[in-house]
Amino acid sequence: MSAFGNAGLTKIPGAVYKVEQSSFATYDKSYSGVLVGAIPFLQGDIAEEYPNTVLMTMNVTETGEQCNHVRIDLHYEGKATSFVGADTKMDIAVDFTTSQEPVESHPDFTTEIGGTPTEPLHGAVFDARTGEFLGFPVVDPDEPDQSPSRFAGVRSYLMPQETFTSTTVEFDYPSEADIASVGQVFNPSFNLPALPGNRSWLNSGIRVQNIGNVYYRTQQTGMLSGPRNWLPEIYGSL
């Protein structure tokens, strides 16, 4: 154990320094003893052992009959300046799921599923004035022996969906240009697996965790479009 100044505290062996792939670093250490004077730690302090981390949280436990007999647990966070290579400092997670979409947006709706207002399939009903798809009947005129119709009640379908989350630790908040790109079509700066078809990525959000006003743990999320792409009139274009 090592003593901490004249505060009456001794560092407990077993401190842990951890670095994630995104370069996010944490350091946890503890002290115990009879506290003399005020607690000598402040949020935002730099860790002497790992100066790339700053003190974020502190937990004080009274260990004896008197309140100055304490154990103090310190948690530091920051950015690793070594160990993580420049080409691996980004932690990327990719999810393949499904999303529920209107059945009339299915790529094969007009040819295999519901047809068009002038040439409906499987008894699809359309609004006579607007052409809006309204639904399928219980009896399918194309398959009268199938009751109820295979399409009866179908109003949506599950479309394959791909999203990603990238995590990095930066020295500042995202730029105005980065923030302005939220909700817009964009090209991620790294390779991602893609579903078949002509698709594009939408910047669906940015989340920033301020680490002591020194480091900024930044998460960006993206969503891949369906096979018909994002509408450029709404989401912009590259």
Side-chain angles (χ1 to χ4, degrees):
M1 296 187 178
S2 59
F4 186 88
N6 59 0
L9 300 175
T10 301
K11 184 179 178 182
I12 301 174
V16 176
Y17 178 67
K18 179 181 177 181
V19 179
E20 297 181 2
Q21 181 178 339
S22 64
S23 77
F24 179 64
T26 60
Y27 178 50
D28 293 279
K29 64 178 178 178
S30 300
Y31 290 86
S32 67
V34 179
L35 184 63
V36 178
I39 295 176
F41 306 108
L42 292 173
Q43 188 180 58
D45 284 350
I46 303 295
E48 179 181 357
E49 301 88 342
Y50 296 96
N52 58 303
T53 60
V54 296
L55 180 59
M56 296 300 293
T57 60
M58 176 177 66
N59 183 60
V60 180
T61 304
E62 297 178 3
T63 59
E65 295 182 358
Q66 301 182 30
C67 62
N68 61 345
H69 290 249
V70 298
R71 173 189 170 110
I72 300 178
D73 299 304
L74 305 174
H75 175 72
Y76 296 77
E77 296 180 358
K79 177 181 176 66
T81 54
S82 60
F83 175 74
V84 179
D87 57 344
T88 60
K89 67 177 183 178
M90 182 177 293
D91 186 358
I92 302 171
V94 180
D95 292 305
F96 296 94
T97 57
T98 56
S99 62
Q100 187 169 292
E101 305 293 337
V103 68
E104 60 267 37
S105 68
H106 192 286
D108 298 328
F109 182 82
T110 59
T111 58
E112 302 290 338
I113 301 171
T116 65
T118 56
E119 296 184 12
L121 297 174
H122 303 291
V125 179
F126 297 86
D127 186 282
R129 184 174 62 86
T130 66
E132 178 185 3
F133 171 70
L134 300 177
F136 292 101
V138 174
V139 178
D140 182 348
D142 296 334
E143 300 176 359
D145 296 332
Q146 179 71 42
S147 183
S149 165
R150 294 185 298 121
F151 294 90
V154 174
R155 297 307 306 269
S156 63
Y157 77 105
L158 296 177
M159 180 184 74
Q161 178 71 70
E162 180 180 353
T163 59
F164 78 83
T165 302
S166 66
T167 303
T168 60
V169 180
E170 309 293 345
F171 292 104
D172 203 348
Y173 282 110
S175 67
E176 290 185 5
D178 290 335
I179 296 172
S181 71
V182 174
Q184 299 290 309
V185 172
F186 80 127
N187 269 333
S189 60
F190 41 86
N191 293 327
L192 288 163
L195 296 170
N198 181 27
R199 302 168 187 256
S200 57
W201 285 99
L202 183 78
N203 182 349
S204 56
I206 298 175
R207 182 179 186 273
V208 181
Q209 176 191 354
N210 185 326
I211 304 175
N213 293 320
V214 179
Y215 305 106
Y216 300 84
R217 192 180 190 189
T218 304
Q219 290 184 319
Q220 182 179 53
T221 56
M223 181 185 300
L224 193 64
S225 71
R228 298 190 302 165
N229 237 315
W230 298 106
L231 285 174
E233 294 86 354
I234 299 176
Y235 302 106
S237 59
L238 297 175

